[in-house]
């Protein structure tokens, strides 16, 4: 191994100055523990050098036979032998079967059997075996790794859950904003309602205060009305009283003056009465009265009669004259018509007819028929 | 990414009693159709889902636009108890929104709800009264309730219902009486309130006193309050341990005594006592005014 190390080293040293290890050859101790017990334990222990012949690491016997060796964990050599025998038997069986198997006949004289590919795609057949270089290098001696934890074998049922994208979330984190909104909204709503109620209570208190003021003012108004009414009635009463007084006063003075006047007026009532009576002739002298009533009308009547007579006589006379004159006139007209001869004197128009000097209207007014 | 489906089971907050809500703008029309279905289970599930959705005012607006109120009115007459309870609950939640209230007034839901005043289910009646209470917060709503002639029945119910429903009814009546108190005065509300003033529950006392404040604003109310001798009780309540009760009693006294009759000898003694009691209250009042 040291040589391998030194073989590799020049290659490694070319790349970079890395780790190199050299040691001088020494005898290999036996029964050496494969792992150190603890990391801190120094390696300088009394090393027991053992017999190389009894060292398990040394392969004894012929190396060209390459026995498999007894690796721990493998079955014991008995089993191994059995397996080998089984293998030999299988081989023999196979050889026997191969002999029985029919083969292709031998080629004809001059010909040779050749293997030909009959597949669709030709395949290059080469004798070369694919070789791959593999290297294996065990690690340097490791420290004993720590004992792995004892995990007991799994028992029970396996249950799996598929978690889809976005299903995993932290509830406390996610719920905070939602809770904030919920609680905030609820509190806001509650506050609104409380404020509404407060406002309503305030309004109602204001209403009551207003009602009280209204009532007080109403009572005041009524009181003032009553007062006013009383005053007014009192005034009316007093005024009426005064009116009555004045009225009476006037009446009385009028009565007094009327009385005085009446008295004075009637003072000369009696003489004036008598005077007027006398003037209207209620006190009359009987003889005078008698003369006036009896005699004088009679007298006047007689006078009237006499005058009427004379008037009538004059009227008759007038009529007579008129008639005569008319007749005469007619006669003259007739005569003139026939003969405007001499006229005879009318008997009727004599010199002793007198015309009435009084000139009676009716005579003049009479139209000639 | 992890799979979306983590477990074989559905998430725990899917409620089998709720109908599935469709996405986006199909949610409400689909629920509306389900409300009209023949199957009882479908109707119930749709109602439960609707209950949840109606907390949002945008959904309420959309629901009213597509006419959910008509289907709900029809469901009020249903035979099944759960359907009626859930319908009243949906209507109650809608009444907490202003859009819902105006929708009620336009679609005449008040009359439809009034048929359930004598319902057997307590929860149903409670939801009904809660809906009325929220509707009465709006002046038009209070007028609507008064115009539909519900006040006499509500006053009647006050005497026979349970305590927590009585509180709700009293809360409903207070704004309605502020609108128009004539109906209540005609239906003997003042003796009823007087009874409630003596109840053991401080909430009921304070709410009854508040209703008395409202009812004693018109002159007729003040006269009735005098006639029914509520003033002594109110004066007693001025020394009640509860602050609310004291405040409301003081308010009721204030309104009841603002009248010419308060100057009459009949009421003078009580008025003085009331004034003395309120003087005792002055240090308390200044502490929390």
């Amino acid at each position: 191994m040291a040589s391998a190390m030194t073989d590799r080293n020049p290659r490694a040293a070319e790349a970079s100055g890395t780790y190199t290890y050299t040691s001088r050859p020494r005898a290999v101790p036996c029964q050496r523990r494969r792992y150190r017990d603890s990391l801190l334990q120094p390696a300088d222990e009394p090393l027991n050098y053992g017999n190389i012949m009894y060292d398990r690491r040394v392969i004894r016997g012929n190396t060209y036979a390459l026995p498999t060796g007894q690796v721990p964990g493998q079955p014991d050599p008995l089993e191994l032998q059995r397996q080998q025998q089984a293998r030999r038997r299988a081989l023999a069986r196979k050889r026997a079967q191969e002999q029985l198997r029919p083969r292709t006949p031998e080629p004809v004289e001059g010909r040779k059997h050749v293997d030909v590919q009959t597949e669709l795609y030709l395949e290059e057949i080469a004798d070369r075996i694919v070789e791959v270089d593999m290297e294996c290098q065990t690690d340097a001696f490791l420290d004993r790794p720590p004992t792995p934890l004892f995990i007991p074998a799994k028992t029970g049922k396996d249950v799996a859950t598929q978690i889809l994208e976005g299903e995993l979330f932290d509830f406390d984190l996610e719920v905070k904003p939602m809770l904030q909104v919920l609680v905030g909204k609820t509190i806001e709503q509650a506050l609104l309602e409380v404020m509404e109620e407060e406002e309503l209570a305030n309004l109602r208190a204001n209403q009551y205060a207003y009602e009280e003021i209204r009532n007080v003012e109403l009572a005041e108004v009524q009181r003032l009305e009553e007062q006013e009414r009383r005053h007014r009635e009192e005034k009316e009463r007093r005024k009426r009283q005064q009116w009555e007084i004045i009225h009476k006063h006037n009446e009385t003075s009028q009565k007094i003056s009327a009385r005085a006047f009446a008295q004075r007026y009637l003072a000369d009532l009696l003489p004036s009465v008598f005077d007027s009576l006398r003037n209207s002739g209620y006190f009359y002298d009987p003889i005078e009265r008698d003369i006036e009533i009896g005699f004088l009308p009679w007298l006047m009547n007689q006078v009237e009669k006499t005058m009427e007579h004379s008037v009538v006589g004059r009227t008759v006379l007038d009529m007579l004259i008129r008639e005569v004159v008319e007749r005469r006139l007619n006669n003259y007209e007739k005569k003139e018509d026939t003969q405007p001869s001499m006229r005879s004197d009318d008997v009727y128009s004599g010199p002793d007819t007198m015309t009435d000097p009084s000139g009676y209207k009716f005579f003049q007014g009479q139209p000639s028929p | 990414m992890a799979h979306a489906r983590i477990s074989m089971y559905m998430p725990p907050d899917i409620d089998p009693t709720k109908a599935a809500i469709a996405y986006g703008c199909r949610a409400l029309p689909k629920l509306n159709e389900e409300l009209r279905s023949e199957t009882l289970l479908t109707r119930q599930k749709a109602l439960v889902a609707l209950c949840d959705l109606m907390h949002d005012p945008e959904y309420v607006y959309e629901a009213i636009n597509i006419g959910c109120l008509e289907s709900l009115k029809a469901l009020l007459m249903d035979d099944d108890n759960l359907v009626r309870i859930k319908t009243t609950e949906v209507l109650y939640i809608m009444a907490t929104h202003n859009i819902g209230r105006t929708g009620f007034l336009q679609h005449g839901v008040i009359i439809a709800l009034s048929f359930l005043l004598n319902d057997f289910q307590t929860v149903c009646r409670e939801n009904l009264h809660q809906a009325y209470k929220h509707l009465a917060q709006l002046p038009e709503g209070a007028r609507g309730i008064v115009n539909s002639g519900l006040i006499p029945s509500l006053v009647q119910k006050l005497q026979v219902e349970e305590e927590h429903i009585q509180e709700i009814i009293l809360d409903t009546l207070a704004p309605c009486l502020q609108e128009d108190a004539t109906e209540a005065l005609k239906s003997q509300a003042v003796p009823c309130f007087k009874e409630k003033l003596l109840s053991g529950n401080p909430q009921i006392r304070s709410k009854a006193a508040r209703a008395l404040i409202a009812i004693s604003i018109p002159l007729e109310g003040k006269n009735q309050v005098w006639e029914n001798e509520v003033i002594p009780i109110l004066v007693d309540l001025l020394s009640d341990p509860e602050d609310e009760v004291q405040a409301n009693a003081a308010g009721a006294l204030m309104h009841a005594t603002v009248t010419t009759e308060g100057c009459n000898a009949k009421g003078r003694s009580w008025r003085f006592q009331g004034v003395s009691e309120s003087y005792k209250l002055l240090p308390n009042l200044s502490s929390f005014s």
Side-chain angles (χ1 to χ4, degrees):
Chain A
M1 204 140 71
S3 57
M5 280 292 205
T6 47
D7 273 346
R8 263 210 334 200
N9 274 338
R11 264 182 273 153
E14 278 170 21
S16 59
T18 49
Y19 171 71
T20 61
Y21 174 77
T22 56
S23 76
R24 56 192 167 85
R26 56 171 191 259
V28 177
C30 73
Q31 301 292 332
R32 199 180 65 143
R33 281 196 289 258
R34 287 196 184 84
Y35 303 109
R36 279 207 293 263
D37 278 336
S38 70
L39 287 162
L40 300 173
Q41 196 180 6
D44 45 7
E45 277 180 23
L47 297 167
N48 306 327
Y49 291 103
N51 199 347
I52 202 170
M53 298 300 286
Y54 296 112
D55 199 345
R56 281 210 306 199
R57 289 175 289 180
V58 177
I59 297 176
R60 296 175 55 86
N62 46 353
T63 54
Y64 54 82
L66 284 178
T68 48
Q70 200 168 335
V71 179
Q74 285 260 343
D76 45 350
L78 208 65
E79 273 284 320
L80 225 63
Q81 231 179 3
R82 247 186 257 131
Q83 280 177 5
Q84 281 172 6
Q85 275 181 358
R87 257 182 248 135
R88 264 184 242 127
R89 254 183 252 132
L91 265 168
R93 223 182 287 132
K94 214 162 139 195
R95 249 181 252 124
Q97 273 183 354
E98 266 188 21
Q99 281 177 359
L100 290 170
R101 204 188 324 160
R103 297 169 191 264
T104 58
E106 294 294 329
V108 178
E109 222 25 66
R111 294 230 187 134
K112 208 164 93 166
H113 279 297
V114 169
D115 280 331
V116 167
Q117 291 184 7
T118 52
E119 286 95 10
L120 205 55
Y121 297 104
L122 294 174
E123 193 181 312
E124 184 190 339
I125 298 181
D127 249 347
R128 246 189 53 184
I129 306 168
V130 175
E131 282 179 2
V132 173
D133 281 330
M134 291 295 299
E135 275 184 0
C136 180
Q137 171 67 45
T138 58
D139 290 332
F141 286 114
L142 289 171
D143 294 331
R144 179 164 185 257
T147 321
L149 286 171
F150 171 62
I151 297 175
K154 212 170 67 154
T155 55
K157 250 198 204 175
D158 264 345
V159 179
T161 308
Q162 179 174 11
I163 309 248
L164 296 173
E165 182 72 40
E167 269 187 0
L168 277 180
F169 58 92
D170 184 357
F171 180 75
D172 289 331
L173 268 177
E174 298 286 337
V175 89
K176 252 199 197 150
M178 277 199 263
L179 266 183
Q180 270 179 354
V181 167
L182 278 174
V183 171
K185 283 276 177 204
T186 314
I187 291 187
E188 200 184 311
Q189 184 71 22
L191 274 176
L192 276 177
E193 288 188 8
V194 167
M195 273 179 9
E196 244 187 51
E197 283 182 15
E198 261 186 39
E199 196 181 328
L200 276 178
N202 270 349
L203 281 177
R204 206 159 280 144
N206 277 350
Q207 266 182 357
Y208 280 144
Y210 173 74
E211 201 180 311
E212 277 178 20
I213 295 178
R214 180 177 178 264
N215 281 339
V216 163
E217 287 191 357
L218 204 58
E220 188 66 23
V221 159
Q222 285 188 340
R223 193 182 65 80
L224 284 176
E225 267 181 17
E226 285 290 316
Q227 205 183 26
E228 188 62 34
R229 194 170 64 83
R230 278 199 301 267
H231 283 169
R232 211 187 9 212
E233 275 183 11
E234 193 67 28
K235 236 184 0 185
E236 288 294 312
R237 207 163 51 84
R238 296 252 175 95
K239 269 201 323 204
R240 240 181 301 131
Q241 266 184 357
Q242 282 299 110
W243 263 115
E244 277 174 16
I245 289 173
I246 290 178
H247 207 66
K248 276 215 166 75
H249 196 76
N250 281 346
E251 232 181 274
T252 320
S253 64
Q254 272 186 359
K255 276 188 187 168
I256 290 173
S257 59
R259 193 180 134 96
F261 176 73
Q263 262 184 349
R264 213 167 56 80
Y265 188 69
L266 298 175
D268 56 335
L269 175 69
L270 274 174
S272 67
V273 162
F274 280 126
D275 278 338
S276 59
L277 277 177
R278 195 176 298 126
N279 286 343
S280 42
Y282 283 93
F283 301 127
Y284 53 85
D285 191 10
I287 302 169
E288 216 177 294
R289 185 66 178 240
D290 190 34
I291 294 177
E292 277 178 14
I293 287 183
F295 178 65
L296 280 178
W298 173 83
L299 187 63
M300 292 304 293
N301 270 341
Q302 300 299 63
V303 166
E304 228 180 282
K305 260 190 221 164
T306 317
M307 283 190 67
E308 262 187 50
H309 287 316
S310 70
V311 164
V312 166
R314 286 186 195 177
T315 309
V316 169
L317 193 60
D318 281 341
M319 279 171 60
L320 280 171
I321 296 173
R322 185 188 168 91
E323 180 122 9
V324 165
V325 169
E326 273 186 13
R327 259 191 216 157
R328 272 268 166 116
L329 197 61
N330 287 341
N331 284 344
Y332 277 138
E333 277 174 8
K334 266 187 223 155
K335 254 198 184 155
E336 269 182 21
D337 282 344
T338 49
Q339 197 179 11
S341 52
M342 55 186 235
R343 5 194 147 126
S344 61
D345 256 74
D346 195 10
V347 181
Y348 302 106
S349 61
D352 47 298
T353 61
M354 49 180 208
T355 57
D356 194 358
S358 64
Y360 279 33
K361 282 262 168 44
F362 80 85
F363 173 68
Q364 283 174 357
Q366 268 183 8
S368 55
Chain B
M1 261 311 281
H3 280 297
R5 179 178 278 246
I6 305 169
S7 77
M8 292 271 289
Y9 303 101
M10 301 289 273
D13 67 342
I14 283 197
D15 195 356
T17 61
K18 246 173 31 167
I21 300 178
Y23 184 74
C25 64
R26 275 296 301 163
L28 279 168
K30 181 156 179 289
L31 282 176
N32 200 10
E33 283 158 22
E34 282 179 8
L35 282 177
R36 295 176 212 260
S37 101
E38 301 289 323
T39 330
L40 181 65
L41 187 64
T42 319
R43 287 197 300 244
Q44 287 175 344
K45 282 165 61 160
L47 277 172
V48 177
L50 202 60
C51 270
D52 269 344
L53 284 181
M54 286 295 113
H55 285 284
D56 189 354
E58 293 194 10
Y59 279 126
V60 174
Y61 177 74
E62 203 189 321
I64 294 181
N65 272 354
I66 62 177
C68 267
L69 282 176
E70 303 296 325
S71 346
L72 287 171
K73 278 203 295 195
L75 283 176
L76 279 173
M77 302 297 156
D78 201 282
D79 289 328
D80 186 51
N81 289 338
L82 183 67
V83 169
R84 283 202 308 271
I85 290 176
K86 280 294 168 188
T87 312
T88 47
E89 192 176 329
V90 167
L91 286 171
Y92 154 49
I93 297 176
M94 281 171 100
T96 56
H97 299 288
N98 195 27
I99 302 166
R101 290 192 280 257
T102 46
F104 278 15
L105 291 170
Q106 278 167 3
H107 288 83
V109 172
I110 304 180
I111 310 281
L113 272 178
S114 63
F115 291 122
L116 287 181
L117 272 172
N118 299 320
D119 196 273
F120 292 116
Q121 295 288 324
T122 316
V123 186
C124 199
R125 289 199 305 265
E126 183 182 344
N127 288 338
L128 173 88
H129 285 294
Q130 291 272 21
Y132 276 153
K133 169 181 153 190
H134 282 105
L135 190 60
Q137 305 280 345
L138 198 62
E140 286 96 23
R143 241 173 275 142
I145 293 182
V146 170
N147 289 343
S148 53
L150 278 177
I151 307 259
S153 23
L154 282 176
V155 172
Q156 230 179 10
K157 285 287 160 194
L158 197 54
Q159 278 150 341
V160 299
E161 281 280 6
E162 304 174 17
E163 285 215 351
H164 63 278
I165 299 190
Q166 278 181 10
E167 289 179 21
I168 305 174
I169 298 181
L170 282 170
D171 268 336
T172 316
L173 279 176
C176 293
L177 292 177
Q178 277 180 353
E179 281 293 320
D180 185 9
T182 49
E183 294 254 338
L185 288 167
K186 272 188 271 187
S187 55
Q188 306 294 316
V190 178
C192 192
F193 291 152
K194 176 177 157 188
E195 249 182 77
K196 297 293 160 229
L197 281 177
L198 303 164
S199 117
N201 189 343
Q203 292 289 323
I204 291 194
R205 284 204 298 268
S206 76
K207 289 181 205 285
R210 184 166 165 239
L212 271 173
I213 292 179
I215 209 172
S216 52
I217 293 176
L219 186 59
E220 176 60 30
K222 292 194 234 272
N223 290 342
Q224 280 209 8
V225 161
W226 280 110
E227 282 161 25
N228 287 308
E229 297 180 15
V230 185
I231 309 283
I233 309 178
L234 284 174
V235 170
D236 281 332
L237 281 181
L238 282 178
S239 38
D240 195 275
E242 288 282 321
D243 288 340
E244 279 291 321
V245 179
Q246 282 181 353
N248 286 338
L253 271 175
M254 169 178 78
H255 271 109
T257 50
V258 173
T259 168
T260 328
E261 278 197 349
C263 295
N264 284 354
K266 177 173 82 172
R268 188 170 284 167
S269 59
W270 287 121
R271 198 156 173 244
F272 280 156
Q273 188 171 358
V275 166
S276 67
E277 291 278 336
S278 15
Y279 275 134
K280 275 188 236 160
L281 275 181
L282 267 178
N284 296 347
L285 284 174
S286 57
S287 67
F288 61 69
S289 62

